[in-house]
Amino acid sequence: MVNVAILGFGVVGSGVAEVLATNGAHIDRKVDDLLRLKYILDVRDFPDSPFADKVVHDFSVIENDPEVNIVVETIGGAKVALDFTRRALMAGKSVVTSNKELVAEHGCELLRLAQEKGVSYLFEASVGGGIPIIRPLNQCLAANEIEELCGILNGTTNYILTRMIRAGLSFDAALKEAQQNGYAEQDPTADIEGHDACRKICILASLAFGRHVYPRQVPTEGITGVTLSDVAYAESCGRKIKLLGRAMRRPDGKVCAYVAPHLVDQENPLAGVEDVFNAITVKGNAIGDVMFYGRGAGKLPTASAVVADVIDAARHKDEKKRMFWAEGGEDVTVSPADLESAWYVRAEGTGEQVRAVFPDRTLLARAGAPEGEFALITEPMTRAALDGRLAGLKACSVFRVLD
């Protein structure tokens, strides 16, 4: 028998318990053994839950029980979750998590510890919710040198941008609607400022390129500066605004990674990804471009990915299945400042100023544009070169255009 303990009985943790119970017979056949939920750790009691008898409040109960084989960490954050994960691995238990902050900050250490103890540390649900991406990167695309990762990695921001584009809602109104529908937290900072997407692109880049990429090394810009004016100008030139996380392997082996809003051509598959859906494109030197698409969050989609890792850990309890990447460092990444791309610019100035700075560019148009406002798409250049051009103008919005 394989015994499982869940740490944290919130949205994801309760979803994991539900999937284990509902699909128990199916899961047992997949594992070729009996897989059972033994404990749920939480500070609260759940007297009305069908799992009430499994709740404990002291992690040491789980830590010191030799019958517990797999610990599912759904607490979140990188403090208590880090302590419990270390202790579980030290006790010889495999750990499965959906905690992108923990993996992004401490993944290298925890993978190494799992390897030393002969157990598994798995985190499919940390990126893309229910979308399979970690396992395909580690297995199905293992024969490829990965050249680039690019994707819509946060469902909340994609929902907000979708409502701005399709319903004409302002950013504030779209955010409020997302909160009312349960797609955004009451404190949405991690989503709208891009931190969540940053953590996810760090995990993908670390796995794809072989060395740890830390969030502090990834310049990050959210969507709070996107306005309905920008949405209209983008539409006028056949593009949509999307928050993208990108990571590229440079010719010298260094990684260029960042998170920022982009204008995406409507013919690009990423432009059609709407609402809370996520999509991740991977470019390999052998396979070319592939895309992974689906619900990036939610109770049961995320629980599905967590339980898939539980099944994987149970199958390999005697022959551990491991992922690995090397230590990070300041030599791993380079700034995107030198990355050339076309730019969308919305600024204020006179016609003479605009023609002097961008003599060969066609101006974009939108209904209701005030006098003195202009928008255009530049030729490819670095951000420093663009800033030099904009020195005499008042720039209101500046976004990269996805090539």
Side-chain angles (χ1 to χ4, degrees):
M1 180 180 291
V2 179
N3 287 298
V4 178
I6 298 173
L7 311 184
F9 202 56
V11 173
V12 177
S14 61
V16 171
E18 184 177 333
V19 171
L20 288 174
T22 303
N23 297 342
H26 168 77
I27 291 168
D28 289 346
R29 289 194 297 272
K30 292 287 186 181
V31 175
D32 198 25
D33 200 347
L34 298 178
L35 194 151
R36 295 294 179 264
L37 176 60
K38 188 169 185 180
Y39 298 113
I40 295 169
L41 177 75
D42 204 286
V43 296
R44 302 161 294 176
D45 287 307
F46 299 90
D48 298 326
S49 168
F51 306 103
D53 62 322
K54 302 185 185 300
V55 175
V56 297
H57 306 300
D58 183 357
F59 176 70
S60 63
V61 173
I62 296 168
E63 181 182 21
N64 296 321
D65 187 340
E67 293 185 349
V68 173
N69 310 100
I70 302 169
V71 172
V72 175
E73 184 273 301
T74 64
I75 297 172
K79 294 181 180 179
V80 173
L82 176 60
D83 177 44
F84 288 172
T85 298
R86 283 172 173 159
R87 288 166 61 183
L89 293 172
M90 288 293 293
K93 305 177 191 303
S94 291
V95 176
V96 171
T97 187
S98 60
N99 188 339
K100 78 275 295 184
E101 181 179 355
L102 185 60
V103 180
E105 293 287 357
H106 301 282
C108 181
E109 170 202 342
L110 297 172
L111 285 167
R112 185 175 62 247
L113 182 56
Q115 189 173 40
E116 290 171 358
K117 295 299 177 180
V119 294
S120 300
Y121 183 59
L122 303 175
F123 41 86
E124 181 65 66
S126 66
V127 179
I131 305 171
I133 180 62
I134 300 296
R135 191 171 288 105
L137 267 182
N138 193 50
Q139 297 178 27
C140 308
L141 301 177
N144 287 257
E145 285 279 351
I146 303 301
E147 298 172 350
E148 180 174 350
L149 303 150
C150 177
I152 296 167
L153 300 170
N154 181 271
T156 299
T157 51
N158 202 47
Y159 179 86
I160 291 170
L161 291 172
T162 298
R163 296 298 291 157
M164 292 177 71
I165 293 167
R166 295 179 67 88
L169 299 180
S170 68
F171 171 82
D172 289 338
L175 171 58
K176 183 176 181 180
E177 183 181 276
Q179 289 171 322
Q180 291 171 340
N181 290 335
Y183 298 143
E185 302 288 344
Q186 286 307 303
D187 179 1
T189 304
D191 294 320
I192 64 175
E193 296 294 352
H195 305 314
D196 179 78
C198 173
R199 292 161 183 157
K200 293 172 181 176
I201 200 65
C202 285
I203 296 169
L204 294 176
S206 299
L207 184 59
F209 303 132
R211 292 187 64 188
H212 197 113
V213 176
Y214 292 95
R216 59 179 171 77
Q217 296 176 297
V218 178
T220 299
E221 178 186 352
I223 64 168
T224 55
V226 178
T227 69
L228 287 175
S229 298
D230 300 316
V231 169
Y233 281 126
E235 185 177 14
S236 75
C237 62
R239 294 177 171 91
K240 293 182 180 179
I241 301 175
K242 296 292 183 182
L243 182 71
L244 301 180
R246 299 184 73 189
M248 294 153 278
R249 188 199 299 270
R250 302 296 291 261
D252 60 3
K254 293 184 183 294
V255 177
C256 177
Y258 67 95
V259 174
H262 289 67
L263 264 66
V264 180
D265 191 282
Q266 290 181 354
E267 297 300 315
N268 188 309
L270 290 174
V273 178
E274 298 191 329
D275 295 320
V276 295
F277 283 79
N278 285 193
I280 304 159
T281 60
V282 181
K283 180 180 291 186
N285 67 340
I287 197 171
D289 293 321
V290 293
M291 187 171 89
F292 300 84
Y293 168 84
R295 289 191 176 274
K299 178 178 179 177
L300 294 182
T302 304
S304 169
V306 171
V307 175
D309 273 348
V310 170
I311 292 170
D312 213 5
R315 282 173 169 172
H316 295 86
K317 64 179 180 178
D318 298 317
E319 181 185 350
K320 298 306 172 188
K321 181 174 182 176
R322 304 183 185 96
M323 288 181 287
F324 178 77
W325 58 69
E327 296 269 1
E330 297 307 314
D331 63 324
V332 174
T333 61
V334 293
S335 169
D338 294 329
L339 179 65
E340 288 195 349
S341 68
W343 296 84
Y344 160 80
V345 174
R346 178 170 62 87
E348 295 176 1
T350 66
E352 292 75 13
Q353 288 175 313
V354 175
R355 285 189 290 273
V357 176
F358 300 104
D360 301 322
R361 296 288 101 184
T362 300
L363 297 186
L364 305 177
R366 71 173 179 90
E371 185 177 353
E373 177 186 85
F374 71 91
L376 53 85
I377 304 293
T378 74
E379 66 269 28
M381 64 182 73
T382 65
R383 180 60 195 256
L386 177 64
D387 288 343
R389 296 264 200 109
L390 294 175
L393 301 170
K394 180 182 177 182
C396 302
S397 296
V398 177
F399 306 138
R400 287 187 188 269
V401 178
L402 185 66
D403 50 24

